Amino acid sequence: MAGRERVVHLLKQLQQASCRCPAHSHAYSQAPEHATSRSTDYAFEIACSNIRYGEGVTKEVGMDLQNLGARNVCVMTDKNMATLPPLRAVLNSLVHNGVKFQVFDKVRVEPTDGSFKEAIAFAKQENFDAYVAVGGGSVMDTCKVANLYACSTDAEFLDYVNAPIGKGKPVTVSLRPLIAVPTTAGTGSETTGVAVFDYEAMKIKTGIASRVLRPLLGLVDPLHTLHMPERVAANSGFDVLCHALESYTALPYNQRSPCPSNPINRPAYQGSNPISDVWSKHALTIVAKYMKRAVRSPEDYEARYNMHLASVFAGIGFGNAGVHLCHGMSYPIAGMVKTFRAKDYNVDHPLVPHGLSVVLTAPAVFAFTGPACPERHLEAAEILGADVRNAKRQDAGLVLADVLRKFMYDLNVDDGLTAVGYTKEDIPALVRGTLPQERVTKLSPRPQTEEELAALFESSMKLY
């Protein structure tokens, strides 16, 4: 009997030591998973649109739509772009390739929930099977949202809007193919699943973020950047700069909470990560070399072409890592605009352009976040031209702030929030407008209180 027990014991030991994979064991059984106790994420995901870059590549859009089998295409643009060569190049290609289309040219520069709804209504009237966005970030974002709600007919507008302003529901419907033709070198919206707008009821910006929104293809044609006026080139360039800086200094992905219970709940903005870092740093290098040339000399093809690429690179970086305080604080700056109208923008409403609203707080923000990751702040400052050989770690944020301030001064950026119509009396409202922007503010490497936000706005009233 004792011998039999020894044999049974030996067989059990062999069973425990044997390979359990399905290919090698007939006794494999799925072990029960143990619930994770992690409060922060453990993974990141890189998602990006297909990108095609080259002079004159826009002429291929008709062939692309033909290859997709598109029979009824929605072309979205704005009133200004409707008269310019980029849109003509798109329409000529569609006509040449026999693609049926309709044009919606009522996109609002710096869109609102109202202008989004107008575009959504247009999209719902027709059974479009593909979309083409021709313009800057406002056009691309509007087209993304029109596509989303036309394909999600039962959804209420706030269903997909970022919480806490909206319900922040994950997008589970399939969208139609969208081809983006960016005409500015700034937003990187051709690479991302994000659409931003002014929510008029609260006078702040918010947005919708989902990888599902990403364009199928971005046709990055550098010829289109030659049509940007000086201030548009400058403000778009500062958007690229802040995209790269914020994504590179964002909270690391494995420190972001909560840990999603399902991959569908992992946000598009996940925190800094090794892959986004590569794109963000490379974008900074290009900005340092070419941005001033691109703003000052529209005929400098090399500079404008490279800034268009920098926009794409930064878009891939921040589209997966996210942005933080500069963008979070920019939303009420743009949303609460009073009478300011930016030069070179042909609009019929007060406007603080997105890139300007973002960069106005950048010196204060990076002086504040510097202590959280000083090495990254110093590295960014060095890329932008600062001599950091004798810089101290505790001064990293101040060093980056100084080099940014000089960059802004050299490119004639308006002298702080007072120059665009704000006073210290507006600070409480600006703080209130920032608080709901948790999707981005929580990615700051340094947490902030309401009092600290107020101090950042106050520091941004004057820059020079």
Side-chain angles (χ1 to χ4, degrees):
M1 194 69 179
R4 181 177 179 180
E5 288 177 354
R6 283 197 297 271
V7 170
V8 170
H9 177 69
L10 179 60
L11 287 173
K12 285 182 178 180
Q13 284 185 315
L14 288 171
Q15 183 183 32
Q16 290 171 359
S18 65
C19 177
R20 298 296 186 91
C21 73
H24 298 145
S25 172
H26 298 293
Y28 175 77
S29 62
Q30 177 66 51
E33 294 187 6
H34 298 285
T36 179
S37 59
R38 279 190 74 108
S39 60
T40 57
D41 209 340
Y42 62 94
F44 65 92
E45 181 173 336
I46 296 296
C48 175
S49 305
N50 296 308
I51 297 296
R52 185 184 303 150
Y53 174 89
E55 293 182 44
V57 74
T58 305
K59 67 179 179 291
E60 297 181 356
V61 66
M63 290 181 278
D64 287 315
L65 290 164
Q66 195 178 63
N67 293 339
L68 289 169
R71 298 181 180 277
N72 189 23
V73 176
C74 176
V75 178
M76 289 202 169
T77 193
D78 61 59
K79 288 290 186 183
N80 294 329
M81 189 53 57
T83 65
L84 295 176
L87 181 68
R88 290 200 295 273
V90 167
L91 299 187
N92 287 342
S93 180
L94 300 189
V95 171
H96 180 74
N97 288 280
V99 178
K100 179 187 173 185
F101 64 89
Q102 296 186 56
V103 177
F104 178 85
D105 64 1
K106 298 180 181 179
V107 171
R108 188 181 193 271
V109 178
E110 302 298 333
T112 65
D113 54 320
S115 71
F116 269 4
K117 289 174 183 176
E118 185 178 7
I120 292 167
F122 179 82
K124 285 184 173 180
Q125 288 173 7
E126 305 290 339
N127 187 27
F128 292 121
D129 54 12
Y131 292 80
V132 179
V134 188
S138 297
V139 173
M140 290 184 277
D141 288 3
T142 299
C143 199
K144 291 175 186 176
V145 171
N147 187 8
L148 169 63
Y149 286 94
C151 294
S152 188
T153 54
D154 296 331
E156 297 180 357
F157 183 73
L158 288 178
D159 280 354
Y160 299 126
V161 174
N162 298 323
I165 295 169
K167 298 177 183 177
K169 291 182 177 180
V171 179
T172 56
V173 296
S174 297
L175 273 58
R176 303 296 190 185
L178 190 163
I179 298 177
V181 184
T183 59
T184 60
T187 68
S189 189
E190 68 277 6
T191 71
T192 74
V194 177
V196 178
F197 65 97
D198 286 315
Y199 188 51
E200 294 180 294
M202 297 178 66
K203 293 188 180 298
I204 56 171
K205 278 190 185 290
T206 183
I208 300 171
S210 170
R211 294 180 186 85
V212 177
L213 291 183
R214 285 183 296 110
L216 173 68
L217 173 65
L219 290 177
V220 182
D221 189 336
L223 292 175
H224 298 334
T225 65
L226 304 180
H227 304 284
M228 287 191 296
E230 181 198 40
R231 284 298 93 192
V232 176
N235 293 329
S236 298
F238 279 118
D239 199 18
V240 176
L241 174 58
C242 289
H243 284 157
L245 284 174
E246 290 174 71
S247 58
Y248 189 58
T249 59
L251 186 76
Y253 75 94
N254 56 6
Q255 294 179 26
R256 179 188 50 75
S257 62
C259 182
S261 58
N262 186 303
I264 198 173
N265 295 320
R266 181 168 285 117
Y269 287 0
Q270 303 159 92
S272 61
N273 59 78
I275 297 179
S276 286
D277 288 349
V278 173
W279 294 101
S280 299
K281 285 175 62 178
H282 190 52
L284 278 180
T285 301
I286 297 175
V287 167
K289 184 175 182 180
Y290 291 108
M291 182 174 164
K292 291 180 183 179
R293 287 170 49 185
V295 173
R296 292 167 176 164
S297 303
E299 66 281 358
D300 188 336
Y301 290 8
E302 181 186 19
R304 291 230 164 171
Y305 287 12
N306 274 280
M307 283 302 297
H308 212 183
L309 275 176
S311 176
V312 175
F313 297 157
I316 298 170
F318 92 87
N320 293 285
V323 288
H324 55 82
L325 285 180
C326 294
H327 273 74
M329 295 170 68
S330 80
Y331 296 151
I333 293 171
M336 291 168 50
V337 59
K338 300 173 185 178
T339 60
F340 181 80
R341 295 195 184 196
K343 180 185 175 184
D344 289 343
Y345 288 79
N346 184 21
V347 294
D348 59 1
H349 54 271
L351 173 70
V352 179
H354 175 64
L356 177 59
S357 69
V358 168
V359 80
L360 286 174
T361 63
V365 164
F366 290 108
F368 173 76
T369 57
C373 46
E375 292 81 6
R376 290 192 172 223
H377 285 66
L378 286 174
E379 188 175 6
E382 185 174 30
I383 291 172
L384 293 174
D387 183 351
V388 302
R389 286 174 295 182
N390 298 316
K392 299 177 181 178
R393 293 178 77 258
Q394 60 265 34
D395 296 330
L398 296 174
V399 172
L400 180 53
D402 284 344
V403 74
L404 282 173
R405 199 175 288 108
K406 184 179 187 307
F407 212 91
M408 296 163 70
Y409 181 81
D410 289 346
L411 288 176
N412 302 312
V413 173
D414 300 88
D415 189 10
L417 294 178
T418 56
V420 298
Y422 291 103
T423 68
K424 289 184 179 181
E425 286 68 36
D426 295 310
I427 290 177
L430 291 168
V431 171
R432 287 195 298 272
T434 304
L435 293 177
Q437 312 301 333
E438 295 178 355
R439 179 179 66 94
V440 292
T441 57
K442 284 190 173 181
L443 287 175
S444 168
R446 180 180 175 184
Q448 64 288 159
T449 64
E450 290 185 37
E451 292 75 16
E452 287 168 330
L453 286 173
L456 292 176
F457 279 117
E458 185 170 359
S459 296
S460 302
M461 285 291 164
K462 296 282 287 183
L463 295 174
Y464 313 122

